[in-house]
Structures are given as C-alpha cells and as structure tokens.
Amino acid sequence: MQNFDAVVIGAGAAGLFCAGMAGQLGLSVLVIDHAAKVAEKIRISGGGRSNFTNRDAGPAHFLSANPHFCRSALARYTPADFIGLVQRHRIPFHEKHKGQLFCDGSAEELIAMLLRECEQGGVTRWQPCEVQAVRQTGTGFELDTGRGTVRVGRVVVATGGLSIPKIGASDFGYRLARQFGHKIVETRPALVPLTFPLARWTPFVPLAGLSLPVRIASGSGEFREDLLFTHRGLSGPAVLQISSYWHPGQALSIDLAPDLALADHLAAAKQGSRRQLGTEMASILPKRLAEGWVVRPERALAEMRDQELRELAVSLQAWSLVPDGTEGYRKAEVTAGGVDTRDLSSQTLESRKAPGLHFIGEVMDVTGWLGGYNFQWAWASAAACARGMAQALSPASSESSR
C-alpha cells in the first residue's frame, strides 16, 4: 500500500494545477485519471489555442445556487496571477475579444506548462487508472485503484462535469459526492446551442451559417454577442451565453438590429423614398436574413402603412421564440449545476460532511460565462484547495504562498 498526503482524481485543468501547486507547497501528491491523455478540454478549447482566462473575470460572471461562494477563491487567485505564470513559462498569448486571452500558438503549450509545474512539485501521475472505491478511515482515506490500494490524508475531486463525453466525461464526481452525503444541484448542459421543432424551424433552415450581432435575453440573462443560425436552431456566442440562463419552456427575446431604433428609421426612410422594402431591409440586415424575413420585399416603402412598419420593426427587435431543447452534453462546453457548494468551505473547497475531501473546478455548482471564465474558476478553486491543504499540514507553507 502506497501513501501520499493527497490524491487528486482528475487530470484536467483544475486537477493538474492543484496537484502542481500542492506539490510545490510541500505535499506528496498523486494524480489519478481514467483517461490516457491529460487535459483534453484544454487541448480542444478555443479552436486549439485555449481561451485560458479572462482579464475581467469576477463573481458577476458566474452562476450558482449559492452565488457568493466563488468570491473568496476568485479574489485570492486572479487572472493576473495566472497570466504571470503563463509569462514565466514564456508562452506567448493575445487578447482576442472582451478580455479573452488565447495562446498565440497551441493549447499544447499550456498543457506542457501544467505538467512542468507538476514535475517541479514532484507529483506522481497514474494514467490510465481507474478509481474503484474510496473509503474514509480514522486518519484519512483509502482508495482502491487499478494499480492497487492507496492511503492518503486528503482527496481532491477534480473530475469535471458531463460535457463532451467523447473525451471521457463521466458522473464519477457526483457519485462520489453523494457517497459522502453531498447534495447535487440538478445538472444540465450549458454554453450549448439551442434547438427548435423541425416544423417550426423549416423556414429558417436556409439561413444556416448566417451570423450577425444581436441582443438576446432569457430569464435573468441578457447579452450582446453574435448569433449563428444552424440547421436545427441557434448557436454562436449569444446563444451559448444565454443557454446557461434559459430553462425549458422559457422564451428567448432577440433584437436582430440592436444598434438601431428600427421603427423610427423605417418611418424616416419612407418619407420621399422610392426604395423597395427589401432593398431598405438589406441595408440594415444581412441580405439572406432580410430576404427571408420580409414577406413582400418588392413593395415600395412609400406604399406601406406606418402600422405595418412598426409591426415589422417589433418582429425584428423583439423576436420571441421558445426552444424545445439543447444540443445536449455532446455539444455543451460546460455542465451547469453540480456539487452543492453550501456544504463546502469557500476558503479551502473542503467538505463539511467529510473532512479531508475537497471538490474543485466544474464538478461544483459554479458555472462561468463563455470567454475564459470557467478556466479561471479551475485555476482559482485549485489554488484555494492547494493552499488549504498545505495550511492543514504545515501552517508555515501556506503563509509563504500568500
């Protein structure tokens, strides 16, 4: 039987970062993952360049049934802290849009950085290796694994959510949480395209591939981002963002011309104009959308009643439609819901029900916006956990890391 101070279950962003930091703070750490490759979500994110954080990340960019929980960890490990680490490893990066930071080259550079951090911390890694059972003992925990039984003082669950099962997502973390008495906030796909019944969506199928900036709202969420029409429904940053706020049965409200007082514009354009309605609309919207939206594009603006123009403006700027679902976990970037944070310490991410058990990253009920926020939560929660474990074993180690 081998002994370690801590075992981290999950070799993703949060798990590797926590292991590396804990190792460098003096803990003997083992990382176990059932997959052969590490950090697949980093590898495929951001088109292969990994949107690894957002300069503006703060508590307002996260959803949770316990909304203040994330404040402590985010305040104690900021985007600037992670940017500093990336710079120390000489990984070039750039800001693409709204504070979103990407590697100039490949996401592989970021994965290599995390593995170097683990090496510097003397971290042991077993992959692929299954965790078959976890038991609490009088002095910590015992884990039965594919490579034998391990005795540890602390267990860190960094198993992620249910999103993108083809890269190894599973419900292991939720099952383990329930084993130790934790509640799970209902999970659902988030940052995911939305779908509509085929019969209702057929008129919009010819618009597939068309993108335009919109304002979109549903529930308590509202965003100004780009919308993308697909063969099955809507996608693009606008819809991915609002999907985290949308619940079945709720309508979306979409403004397809967010920079314009459209009713006033059309009323003014009507005065003395010989333009046809379709021509005028094509100057405001993408041509395909204008052609598909306007019933009689060949009508002259001057012939249209003011009420007709107002109704057209409302149909475009308060487009209301109810999705019938999402593209599911296979297309969802993250999982909303997860381990209820009300039974965790916001300082150390430690369980109040099973001392020595920690949860970090996406497995918890903390879900960030699109744009690097979820990776920042991975880094921040991992750092809080690593420091908390070091504090428990050696107060001096934790003080030196502040």
Side-chain angles (χ1 to χ4, degrees), residues 331-350:
K331 290 288 186 74
E333 295 198 13
V334 295
T335 302
V339 178
D340 194 329
T341 62
R342 284 168 285 209
D343 288 324
L344 303 177
S345 163
S346 63
Q347 297 289 314
T348 64
L349 290 306
E350 184 175 6

Side-chain angles (χ1 to χ4, degrees), residues 376-387:
Q376 184 56 37
W377 175 244
W379 317 136
S381 59
C385 176
R387 290 166 174 168

Side-chain angles (χ1 to χ4, degrees), residues 257-313:
D259 294 321
L260 197 61
L262 187 55
D264 294 341
H265 175 90
L266 292 176
K270 173 183 174 181
Q271 302 304 315
S273 172
R274 296 183 180 181
R275 299 183 87 177
Q276 292 182 329
L277 176 60
T279 303
E280 183 62 34
M281 296 308 299
S283 72
I284 298 168
L285 301 170
K287 186 178 180 182
R288 270 202 295 159
L289 179 59
E291 290 174 347
W293 201 276
V294 180
V295 178
R296 292 180 56 193
E298 74 283 354
R299 286 184 70 185
L301 266 174
E303 296 175 1
M304 296 192 66
R305 293 182 289 112
D306 291 346
Q307 180 64 23
E308 289 180 290
L309 293 176
R310 283 194 293 270
E311 289 173 357
L312 175 60

